[in-house]
Amino acid sequence: MALFDTELFAQKLEQLAPTQQGIEGLSKWCMFFKSELKKVVATWDVQFQKAGPEKRLSFLYLANDMLQNGRKKAPELAAEFYRVLPRALKTMHKAGIAKDIARVKRLVHVWGERRVYSPNTIKQLQSLIPQEAAAPSSSAPPAKRAKTVDAPAAREAVMDKRLQPMATAFAKVSKAEVQSNKLLLALSPVCRKGLENDGSISELVKAQLPLKDYTGALENEVAGREAAIIALKEAVAIQEKGIKDAQSKLQLSKQHLQKVSTRLETMRKQHVQQFKAKQASSQPLVSAGPGGASAEAATNAGNG
Protein backbone atom coordinates (compact mmCIF):
# COMPACT_ATOMS: atom_id res chain seq x y z
CA MET A 1 0.00 0.00 0.00
CA ALA A 2 1.22 3.50 -0.84
CA LEU A 3 2.48 5.63 2.03
CA PHE A 4 0.63 8.77 3.03
CA ASP A 5 2.49 11.95 1.99
CA THR A 6 1.81 14.85 4.38
CA GLU A 7 3.25 17.50 2.05
CA LEU A 8 1.26 16.22 -0.92
CA PHE A 9 -1.95 16.32 1.11
CA ALA A 10 -1.16 19.87 2.24
CA GLN A 11 -0.77 20.88 -1.41
CA LYS A 12 -4.06 19.22 -2.31
CA LEU A 13 -5.78 21.12 0.51
CA GLU A 14 -4.36 24.42 -0.72
CA GLN A 15 -5.70 23.65 -4.21
CA LEU A 16 -9.05 22.32 -2.98
CA ALA A 17 -11.86 23.70 -5.13
CA PRO A 18 -15.13 24.52 -3.30
CA THR A 19 -17.10 22.15 -5.54
CA GLN A 20 -18.80 18.83 -4.85
CA GLN A 21 -16.54 17.08 -7.34
CA GLY A 22 -13.36 18.50 -5.81
CA ILE A 23 -14.40 17.71 -2.23
CA GLU A 24 -15.59 14.17 -2.98
CA GLY A 25 -12.45 13.43 -5.01
CA LEU A 26 -10.10 14.50 -2.22
CA SER A 27 -12.25 12.66 0.34
CA LYS A 28 -11.85 9.39 -1.57
CA TRP A 29 -8.10 10.00 -1.85
CA CYS A 30 -7.89 10.45 1.94
CA MET A 31 -9.97 7.35 2.67
CA PHE A 32 -7.52 5.32 0.62
CA PHE A 33 -5.04 5.73 3.49
CA LYS A 34 -7.17 4.01 6.15
CA SER A 35 -4.14 3.07 8.24
CA GLU A 36 -2.89 6.68 8.25
CA LEU A 37 -6.09 8.50 9.18
CA LYS A 38 -4.50 10.00 12.29
CA LYS A 39 -1.92 11.75 10.10
CA VAL A 40 -4.63 12.76 7.63
CA VAL A 41 -6.65 14.51 10.34
CA ALA A 42 -3.57 16.07 11.95
CA THR A 43 -2.52 17.56 8.59
CA TRP A 44 -6.09 18.74 7.97
CA ASP A 45 -6.03 20.54 11.34
CA VAL A 46 -2.71 22.30 10.68
CA GLN A 47 -3.75 23.45 7.21
CA PHE A 48 -7.20 24.53 8.45
CA GLN A 49 -5.61 26.94 10.92
CA LYS A 50 -3.29 28.28 8.21
CA ALA A 51 -6.04 28.72 5.62
CA GLY A 52 -7.89 31.95 5.00
CA PRO A 53 -11.55 32.39 6.00
CA GLU A 54 -12.69 31.76 2.42
CA LYS A 55 -11.10 28.27 2.40
CA ARG A 56 -12.07 26.95 5.83
CA LEU A 57 -15.67 26.13 4.94
CA SER A 58 -14.43 23.85 2.13
CA PHE A 59 -12.20 22.11 4.68
CA LEU A 60 -15.24 21.42 6.87
CA TYR A 61 -17.19 20.10 3.88
CA LEU A 62 -14.27 17.77 3.20
CA ALA A 63 -14.34 16.59 6.82
CA ASN A 64 -18.10 16.09 6.53
CA ASP A 65 -17.73 13.89 3.44
CA MET A 66 -15.02 11.83 5.10
CA LEU A 67 -17.01 11.44 8.33
CA GLN A 68 -20.16 10.27 6.59
CA ASN A 69 -18.37 7.89 4.24
CA GLY A 70 -16.22 6.59 7.07
CA ARG A 71 -19.05 5.67 9.46
CA LYS A 72 -18.79 2.02 8.43
CA LYS A 73 -15.47 1.89 6.61
CA ALA A 74 -13.44 3.76 9.25
CA PRO A 75 -15.41 4.37 12.47
CA GLU A 76 -12.24 5.56 14.23
CA LEU A 77 -12.23 8.62 11.95
CA ALA A 78 -14.98 10.31 13.99
CA ALA A 79 -12.85 10.15 17.14
CA GLU A 80 -9.80 11.52 15.31
CA PHE A 81 -11.75 14.46 13.89
CA TYR A 82 -13.35 15.19 17.24
CA ARG A 83 -9.89 15.95 18.64
CA VAL A 84 -9.56 18.91 16.27
CA LEU A 85 -13.14 20.02 15.54
CA PRO A 86 -13.57 22.14 18.71
CA ARG A 87 -10.58 24.29 17.75
CA ALA A 88 -11.81 24.50 14.15
CA LEU A 89 -15.27 25.69 15.25
CA LYS A 90 -13.70 28.27 17.56
CA THR A 91 -11.65 29.56 14.62
CA MET A 92 -14.83 29.88 12.53
CA HIS A 93 -16.45 31.71 15.45
CA LYS A 94 -13.61 34.25 15.61
CA ALA A 95 -13.86 34.91 11.86
CA GLY A 96 -17.48 35.90 12.48
CA ILE A 97 -18.77 35.41 8.91
CA ALA A 98 -22.52 34.99 9.40
CA LYS A 99 -23.26 32.89 6.31
CA ASP A 100 -20.38 30.50 7.08
CA ILE A 101 -21.47 30.10 10.71
CA ALA A 102 -25.01 29.24 9.55
CA ARG A 103 -23.60 26.54 7.26
CA VAL A 104 -21.42 25.15 10.05
CA LYS A 105 -24.51 24.88 12.25
CA ARG A 106 -26.21 22.94 9.49
CA LEU A 107 -23.24 20.56 9.22
CA VAL A 108 -23.26 19.83 12.96
CA HIS A 109 -27.02 19.27 12.80
CA VAL A 110 -26.55 16.76 9.96
CA TRP A 111 -23.91 14.90 12.00
CA GLY A 112 -26.48 14.53 14.73
CA GLU A 113 -29.24 13.39 12.37
CA ARG A 114 -27.04 10.77 10.73
CA ARG A 115 -25.53 9.67 14.04
CA VAL A 116 -21.98 10.52 13.13
CA TYR A 117 -21.61 11.63 16.75
CA SER A 118 -23.60 10.93 19.90
CA PRO A 119 -26.22 13.47 21.09
CA ASN A 120 -23.92 14.56 23.94
CA THR A 121 -21.07 15.18 21.52
CA ILE A 122 -23.35 17.14 19.17
CA LYS A 123 -24.44 19.35 22.08
CA GLN A 124 -20.79 19.98 22.93
CA LEU A 125 -20.02 20.98 19.34
CA GLN A 126 -23.11 23.18 19.12
CA SER A 127 -22.06 25.02 22.27
CA LEU A 128 -18.92 26.18 20.44
CA ILE A 129 -20.95 27.86 17.69
CA PRO A 130 -22.25 31.38 18.48
CA GLN A 131 -25.96 32.05 18.52
CA GLU A 132 -27.15 34.49 15.89
CA ALA A 133 -28.25 37.84 17.24
CA ALA A 134 -31.93 38.67 16.70
CA ALA A 135 -32.57 41.31 14.06
CA PRO A 136 -33.94 44.58 15.46
CA SER A 137 -37.68 45.12 14.91
CA SER A 138 -38.73 48.05 12.73
CA SER A 139 -41.40 48.94 15.31
CA ALA A 140 -38.96 48.92 18.19
CA PRO A 141 -38.66 52.14 20.19
CA PRO A 142 -35.65 54.36 19.51
CA ALA A 143 -32.52 53.29 21.30
CA LYS A 144 -31.65 55.15 24.46
CA ARG A 145 -28.45 57.11 24.61
CA ALA A 146 -25.67 54.92 25.89
CA LYS A 147 -24.44 55.68 29.37
CA THR A 148 -20.93 56.99 29.73
CA VAL A 149 -18.61 54.32 31.10
CA ASP A 150 -15.31 55.24 32.66
CA ALA A 151 -12.20 53.73 31.08
CA PRO A 152 -11.13 51.48 34.02
CA ALA A 153 -14.60 49.92 34.22
CA ALA A 154 -14.60 49.35 30.46
CA ARG A 155 -11.19 47.63 30.60
CA GLU A 156 -12.36 45.44 33.48
CA ALA A 157 -15.43 44.42 31.48
CA VAL A 158 -13.23 43.49 28.50
CA MET A 159 -11.00 41.33 30.71
CA ASP A 160 -14.03 39.60 32.23
CA LYS A 161 -15.28 38.85 28.73
CA ARG A 162 -11.91 37.38 27.74
CA LEU A 163 -11.88 35.07 30.75
CA GLN A 164 -15.51 33.99 30.32
CA PRO A 165 -14.80 31.15 27.80
CA MET A 166 -12.30 29.62 30.23
CA ALA A 167 -14.73 29.84 33.16
CA THR A 168 -17.51 28.33 31.04
CA ALA A 169 -15.26 25.50 29.82
CA PHE A 170 -14.17 24.57 33.35
CA ALA A 171 -17.76 24.66 34.58
CA LYS A 172 -18.73 22.21 31.82
CA VAL A 173 -15.81 19.93 32.73
CA SER A 174 -16.91 19.86 36.35
CA LYS A 175 -20.49 19.04 35.36
CA ALA A 176 -19.37 16.31 32.93
CA GLU A 177 -17.08 14.74 35.54
CA VAL A 178 -19.88 14.61 38.10
CA GLN A 179 -22.17 12.95 35.54
CA SER A 180 -19.62 10.32 34.47
CA ASN A 181 -18.78 9.47 38.10
CA LYS A 182 -22.48 9.16 38.88
CA LEU A 183 -23.00 6.74 35.99
CA LEU A 184 -19.91 4.78 36.98
CA LEU A 185 -21.32 4.13 40.46
CA ALA A 186 -24.54 2.81 38.95
CA LEU A 187 -22.68 0.78 36.33
CA SER A 188 -20.87 -1.89 38.34
CA PRO A 189 -23.76 -3.93 39.79
CA VAL A 190 -25.72 -3.84 36.53
CA CYS A 191 -22.90 -4.75 34.17
CA ARG A 192 -21.08 -7.34 36.25
CA LYS A 193 -23.29 -10.19 35.05
CA GLY A 194 -23.49 -8.83 31.52
CA LEU A 195 -19.70 -8.84 31.21
CA GLU A 196 -19.40 -12.41 32.40
CA ASN A 197 -19.01 -15.05 29.72
CA ASP A 198 -22.07 -16.95 30.85
CA GLY A 199 -24.33 -13.89 30.97
CA SER A 200 -27.80 -14.34 29.50
CA ILE A 201 -29.30 -12.25 26.68
CA SER A 202 -31.45 -10.29 29.11
CA GLU A 203 -28.41 -9.53 31.26
CA LEU A 204 -26.47 -8.36 28.21
CA VAL A 205 -29.36 -6.13 27.13
CA LYS A 206 -29.56 -4.63 30.63
CA ALA A 207 -25.82 -3.98 30.59
CA GLN A 208 -25.80 -2.37 27.14
CA LEU A 209 -27.83 0.76 27.91
CA PRO A 210 -25.91 1.92 31.02
CA LEU A 211 -22.64 1.20 29.22
CA LYS A 212 -23.79 3.40 26.33
CA ASP A 213 -24.75 6.16 28.74
CA TYR A 214 -21.44 5.90 30.56
CA THR A 215 -19.49 5.88 27.28
CA GLY A 216 -21.37 8.98 26.12
CA ALA A 217 -20.68 10.71 29.42
CA LEU A 218 -16.96 9.94 29.15
CA GLU A 219 -16.91 11.25 25.57
CA ASN A 220 -18.55 14.42 26.82
CA GLU A 221 -16.01 14.72 29.64
CA VAL A 222 -13.05 14.22 27.28
CA ALA A 223 -14.47 16.79 24.87
CA GLY A 224 -15.03 19.22 27.72
CA ARG A 225 -11.47 18.83 28.96
CA GLU A 226 -10.10 19.36 25.46
CA ALA A 227 -12.21 22.51 25.12
CA ALA A 228 -10.95 23.65 28.54
CA ILE A 229 -7.34 23.18 27.42
CA ILE A 230 -8.03 25.29 24.33
CA ALA A 231 -9.63 28.02 26.45
CA LEU A 232 -6.75 27.86 28.94
CA LYS A 233 -4.16 28.19 26.18
CA GLU A 234 -6.02 31.18 24.77
CA ALA A 235 -6.10 32.78 28.23
CA VAL A 236 -2.36 32.15 28.65
CA ALA A 237 -1.70 33.67 25.23
CA ILE A 238 -3.67 36.78 26.24
CA GLN A 239 -1.62 37.12 29.43
CA GLU A 240 1.68 36.57 27.60
CA LYS A 241 0.79 39.32 25.13
CA GLY A 242 -0.25 41.52 28.05
CA ILE A 243 3.14 40.93 29.71
CA LYS A 244 5.00 41.97 26.55
CA ASP A 245 2.90 45.11 26.17
CA ALA A 246 3.30 46.02 29.85
CA GLN A 247 7.07 45.39 29.76
CA SER A 248 7.43 47.67 26.75
CA LYS A 249 5.44 50.41 28.49
CA LEU A 250 7.40 49.84 31.72
CA GLN A 251 10.74 50.31 29.96
CA LEU A 252 9.56 53.52 28.31
CA SER A 253 8.14 54.80 31.60
CA LYS A 254 11.45 54.14 33.39
CA GLN A 255 13.29 56.12 30.71
CA HIS A 256 10.89 59.04 31.12
CA LEU A 257 11.18 58.88 34.91
CA GLN A 258 14.99 58.88 34.73
CA LYS A 259 14.96 61.85 32.37
CA VAL A 260 12.57 63.86 34.56
CA SER A 261 14.48 62.98 37.76
CA THR A 262 17.83 64.01 36.23
CA ARG A 263 16.46 67.33 35.00
CA LEU A 264 14.80 68.00 38.35
CA GLU A 265 18.05 67.33 40.26
CA THR A 266 20.01 69.61 37.92
CA MET A 267 17.49 72.43 38.33
CA ARG A 268 17.55 72.06 42.12
CA LYS A 269 21.34 72.37 42.19
CA GLN A 270 21.21 75.43 39.95
CA HIS A 271 18.58 77.00 42.20
CA VAL A 272 20.70 76.42 45.32
CA GLN A 273 23.79 77.90 43.65
CA GLN A 274 21.85 80.96 42.48
CA PHE A 275 20.39 81.47 45.96
CA LYS A 276 23.84 81.31 47.60
CA ALA A 277 25.32 83.73 45.07
CA LYS A 278 22.49 86.21 45.58
CA GLN A 279 22.78 85.99 49.36
CA ALA A 280 26.53 86.59 49.23
CA SER A 281 26.19 89.67 46.99
CA SER A 282 23.61 91.32 49.29
CA GLN A 283 25.91 91.36 52.41
CA PRO A 284 28.21 94.57 53.09
CA LEU A 285 31.95 94.18 52.84
CA VAL A 286 33.69 94.64 56.28
CA SER A 287 37.36 94.58 57.27
CA ALA A 288 38.86 94.43 60.74
CA GLY A 289 40.93 97.45 61.94
CA PRO A 290 43.50 97.69 64.77
CA GLY A 291 42.25 96.12 67.93
CA GLY A 292 39.60 94.26 66.08
CA ALA A 293 37.43 97.31 65.33
CA SER A 294 36.04 97.73 61.90
CA ALA A 295 37.22 100.46 59.52
CA GLU A 296 33.79 102.10 59.65
CA ALA A 297 33.91 102.28 63.47
CA ALA A 298 37.40 103.79 63.40
CA THR A 299 36.30 106.50 60.97
CA ASN A 300 33.32 107.42 63.11
CA ALA A 301 35.53 107.67 66.18
CA GLY A 302 37.97 110.02 64.38
CA ASN A 303 35.18 112.34 63.33
CA GLY A 304 34.01 112.57 66.90
Side-chain angles (χ1 to χ4, degrees):
M1 182 179 289
L3 295 176
F4 174 72
D5 189 336
T6 301
E7 293 183 0
L8 178 60
F9 182 39
Q11 292 176 5
K12 288 180 176 291
L13 286 171
E14 289 178 0
Q15 300 167 3
L16 177 61
T19 62
Q20 183 176 354
Q21 183 179 0
I23 290 168
E24 288 179 353
L26 186 53
S27 174
K28 290 178 181 178
W29 183 86
C30 292
M31 296 303 295
F32 178 75
F33 301 97
K34 286 182 63 176
S35 62
E36 302 282 354
L37 289 178
K38 191 169 185 177
K39 291 183 180 179
V40 171
V41 175
T43 306
W44 180 94
D45 178 43
V46 171
Q47 297 303 316
F48 181 93
Q49 298 301 327
K50 290 181 179 179
E54 71 283 355
K55 294 279 292 183
R56 289 177 184 145
L57 191 61
S58 297
F59 278 54
L60 285 173
Y61 283 145
L62 173 63
N64 172 62
D65 196 85
M66 292 173 63
L67 283 168
Q68 296 204 44
N69 289 326
R71 278 185 298 170
K72 295 181 179 179
K73 298 178 182 178
E76 71 275 14
L77 185 61
E80 292 298 334
F81 261 115
Y82 189 70
R83 296 178 185 275
V84 300
L85 278 174
R87 188 160 76 121
L89 295 182
K90 278 183 170 289
T91 301
M92 295 294 290
H93 180 182
K94 289 179 181 178
I97 302 175
K99 63 178 182 179
D100 288 350
I101 291 174
R103 290 168 180 169
V104 171
K105 286 183 178 180
R106 175 59 185 162
L107 274 181
V108 175
H109 181 71
V110 169
W111 294 340
E113 283 184 335
R114 301 189 180 179
R115 299 182 181 180
V116 175
Y117 289 114
S118 68
N120 286 333
T121 303
I122 293 298
K123 287 181 181 179
Q124 183 68 29
L125 292 175
Q126 288 173 337
S127 70
L128 300 173
I129 307 172
Q131 297 296 321
E132 294 176 359
S137 172
S138 58
S139 59
K144 295 181 180 179
R145 181 178 295 180
K147 295 181 179 179
T148 304
V149 181
D150 60 297
R155 284 194 295 269
E156 185 177 350
V158 170
M159 287 304 298
D160 288 345
K161 188 176 181 181
R162 288 179 179 178
L163 295 175
Q164 187 59 42
M166 185 174 65
T168 302
F170 277 97
K172 288 182 178 179
V173 167
S174 179
K175 185 177 179 181
E177 185 178 10
V178 169
Q179 180 65 13
S180 60
N181 288 337
K182 181 180 177 181
L183 291 173
L184 177 61
L185 291 175
L187 189 66
S188 299
V190 177
C191 295
R192 189 181 300 114
K193 292 184 178 180
L195 293 173
E196 293 174 354
N197 293 331
D198 57 348
S200 64
I201 293 178
S202 61
E203 289 171 342
L204 290 172
V205 171
K206 289 180 181 179
Q208 186 181 36
L209 183 58
L211 276 171
K212 280 185 176 180
D213 291 340
Y214 181 54
T215 300
L218 287 175
E219 287 178 346
N220 194 26
E221 182 180 343
V222 170
R225 293 186 184 280
E226 289 176 345
I229 290 173
I230 293 172
L232 187 59
K233 287 180 178 179
E234 290 177 352
V236 170
I238 290 172
Q239 296 307 316
E240 287 177 343
K241 183 179 182 301
I243 288 173
K244 289 181 180 179
D245 292 343
Q247 285 177 336
S248 178
K249 293 175 183 177
L250 175 62
Q251 185 177 3
L252 184 60
S253 180
K254 284 183 176 180
Q255 292 174 356
H256 290 166
L257 177 60
Q258 181 64 34
K259 185 176 181 179
V260 169
S261 299
T262 301
R263 290 183 62 186
L264 181 60
E265 184 64 23
T266 301
M267 292 179 70
R268 281 175 175 170
K269 289 180 179 179
Q270 290 175 351
H271 181 73
V272 170
Q273 290 173 356
Q274 290 173 359
F275 177 77
K276 287 181 177 180
K278 185 177 180 180
Q279 191 177 37
S281 63
S282 64
Q283 292 179 353
L285 294 174
V286 295
S287 59
S294 66
E296 183 179 358
T299 302
N300 291 335
N303 292 335

